[in-house]
Amino acid sequence: QAQLVESGGGLVQPGGSLRLSCAVSGSIFSTRAMGWYRQAPGKQRESVATIFAGGTTNYAAPVKGRFTISRDNTKNTVYLQMNSLKLEDTGVYYCNALFNLLPWGQGTQVTVSS
């Protein structure tokens, strides 16, 4: 069964950086489009960034220019480099496939606070 394990979250001051990782097991990874999603307190889960199998990336407007999604197909892992973090980036971050969703992982908490 497919499993997604996110890590790398934490508490950071505004303007700081974090790098999230998501390890994918039990499922074909290299041909899947993958994405990072986040859920802020009291809000619905939203897409943050996506990366297709060929490497094409897309970003939500609020994070464009600050976040970078990447993948390592040899490690079945997708990453999210987050720079210039803002208070509004606070939330639980999840990864998943862009199509044919896999069972959601536990996510990783990102808290941006001064």
Side-chain angles (χ1 to χ4, degrees):
Q1 182 169 340
Q3 186 175 19
L4 304 170
V5 179
E6 300 92 347
S7 62
L11 173 64
V12 64
Q13 292 185 338
S17 297
L18 285 173
R19 188 193 194 208
L20 307 183
S21 299
C22 171
V24 182
S25 61
S27 176
I28 297 173
F29 176 80
S30 63
T31 58
R32 282 187 182 275
M34 296 295 298
W36 280 98
Y37 305 79
R38 70 183 178 191
Q39 187 165 18
K43 295 187 177 181
Q44 289 190 335
R45 191 175 295 167
E46 62 179 354
S47 175
V48 172
T50 57
I51 184 166
F52 290 84
T56 300
T57 58
N58 289 302
Y59 298 93
V63 307
K64 201 166 187 178
R66 299 188 296 121
F67 290 11
T68 303
I69 187 171
S70 61
R71 64 192 298 159
D72 185 339
N73 290 338
T74 66
K75 297 182 179 179
N76 282 12
T77 300
V78 60
Y79 304 97
L80 186 68
Q81 177 66 43
M82 306 188 296
N83 298 328
S84 302
L85 282 161
K86 302 178 180 181
L87 297 176
E88 53 264 40
D89 294 319
T90 293
V92 181
Y93 283 70
Y94 304 86
C95 72
N96 210 318
L98 186 60
F99 310 109
N100 299 318
L101 289 176
L102 303 171
W104 291 94
Q106 83 288 348
T108 186
Q109 175 71 46
V110 172
T111 302
V112 185
S113 175
S114 55

